[in-house]
Amino acid sequence: MRPSASKNRRLSKSSDLQGRRVTIYDADDIVRMAEVGRKAAIILDEITPHVVVGVSTAELDRIIDGMMRDLGGVPATLGYKGYPASSCISINHVVNHGIPSERKRLANGDILNIDVTILIDGWHGDSSRMYLCGDKVPSKSRKLVDITYEAMMAGIAAVGPGQPMNAIGRAVETIVRSNRMSVVEDFVGHGVGNVFHDAPMVYHHYVASDTLTMEPGMIFTIEPMINAGKKDVKVLSDGWTAVTRDRSHSAQFEHSVVVTEAGCDILTLSPKGYTRPPYPV
């Protein structure tokens, strides 16, 4: 069920590079988004002890689906444009949109991203987090995960009223390039709220022409995908799974944020205080 339109909600006078107007959410809407964002973060917290050697990604997906329904929501991804699962689980060289499978089981040393979007009463809580499986994760992979988290947080720190959207990409790219890694340019962050994927597009590399001004009440995701090797990716024949062309490992973190008068608030912070792995179990 979609909520009734708020009389205080409005559209920005500006538009993104695609010419789409950006929704400015009011205080009541932001409270709803904070609640659904908190529930997305709860799911990512609670799935942590299930990320173990030998578990199938399909089993993780079933657990996530059950958590969403227990929290009063449904998985926004299930059936979205034909997507067949309740989450995306992307392992090692998979960049994003990894489809859970009974055949794919986690191995000692894997790194993986779990991406969830819970839909409650028309509101989308969207977040993702990296996980380390087992005790044999290579140091290069751990560094990739750490740099990806730092890059996301640098992008978030660049958010504030009056700032251009391309400040996010500049901040992310500065961290990544200084560590000789690559920002994936094929995928972007996005506005989120009543609509799963909305304006504005959020680039994680610097785009000079992306000068849309941030305004209080804008809500969007920051979700950089960082490759240990080159930035190039390809989508497999299933139409969803994106992988690195050079088979290097890839990592991603994602938060949903709201622009405030003073800067921004993160809507998907972990209630348990989990930031980057390894997480306490």
Side-chain angles (χ1 to χ4, degrees):
M1 180 180 72
R2 298 187 68 84
S4 58
S6 168
K7 62 181 180 181
N8 296 318
R9 191 181 310 158
R10 61 183 176 84
L11 293 176
S12 171
K13 295 180 180 179
S14 303
S15 58
D16 73 0
L17 290 180
Q18 308 301 307
R20 302 175 302 171
R21 301 285 291 278
V22 180
T23 301
I24 306 298
Y25 289 96
D26 66 27
D28 289 340
D29 296 335
I30 292 168
V31 168
R32 295 185 181 98
M33 281 297 290
E35 179 60 19
V36 75
R38 185 183 69 86
K39 290 184 176 181
I42 287 172
I43 293 164
L44 294 177
D45 282 355
E46 297 303 323
I47 198 63
T48 301
H50 300 280
V51 178
V52 294
V53 175
V55 71
S56 73
T57 54
E59 177 61 16
L60 293 176
D61 189 65
R62 283 190 290 271
I63 295 169
I64 289 167
D65 184 282
M67 289 178 180
M68 289 186 180
R69 298 179 194 279
D70 288 344
L71 289 168
V74 295
T77 57
L78 185 59
Y80 179 76
K81 296 185 177 180
Y83 187 77
S86 299
S87 63
C88 300
I89 303 178
S90 304
I91 304 173
N92 295 336
H93 71 290
V94 178
V95 175
N96 65 2
H97 302 158
I99 300 173
S101 166
E102 298 288 357
R103 293 181 295 175
K104 184 60 182 177
R105 295 185 176 274
L106 298 186
N108 198 342
D110 282 345
I111 62 171
L112 61 149
N113 176 271
I114 299 180
D115 190 343
V116 300
T117 305
I118 183 171
L119 176 62
I120 302 177
D121 294 333
W123 298 94
H124 295 81
D126 190 4
S127 187
S128 81
R129 201 177 294 170
M130 291 299 296
Y131 298 81
L132 310 179
C133 184
D135 58 1
K136 296 182 179 179
V137 177
S139 59
K140 185 175 181 179
S141 297
R142 288 176 179 265
K143 181 179 179 180
L144 169 65
V145 170
D146 284 341
I147 296 305
T148 303
Y149 177 79
E150 291 172 13
M152 177 190 65
M153 294 306 294
I156 291 172
V159 174
Q163 295 299 311
M165 288 297 296
N166 61 18
I168 297 170
R170 186 193 293 274
V172 169
E173 202 165 45
T174 297
I175 296 290
V176 174
R177 286 188 171 183
S178 68
N179 285 277
R180 298 185 179 182
M181 297 176 185
S182 303
V183 179
V184 174
E185 298 180 4
D186 297 60
F187 301 98
V188 296
H190 54 88
V192 65
N194 292 142
V195 178
F196 191 174
H197 295 99
D198 202 0
M201 296 177 69
V202 182
Y203 295 92
H204 302 111
H205 63 290
Y206 180 68
V207 177
S209 57
D210 186 19
T211 56
L212 173 71
T213 299
M214 301 180 209
E215 300 178 45
M218 287 183 175
I219 301 177
F220 48 80
T221 69
I222 296 179
E223 48 180 303
M225 286 143 273
I226 309 304
N227 294 347
K230 296 181 179 180
K231 67 181 181 180
D232 307 286
V233 305
K234 64 179 180 180
V235 177
L236 301 183
S237 59
D238 61 23
W240 287 101
T241 307
V243 300
T244 57
R245 286 189 176 273
D246 62 6
R247 303 284 292 185
S248 64
H249 282 188
S250 187
Q252 178 187 20
F253 284 89
E254 176 185 11
H255 273 313
S256 295
V257 303
V258 57
V259 183
T260 67
E261 296 289 348
C264 77
D265 288 337
I266 301 174
L267 300 173
T268 47
L269 286 174
S270 162
K272 290 190 174 182
Y274 296 172
T275 54
R276 70 184 94 184
Y279 310 115
V281 177

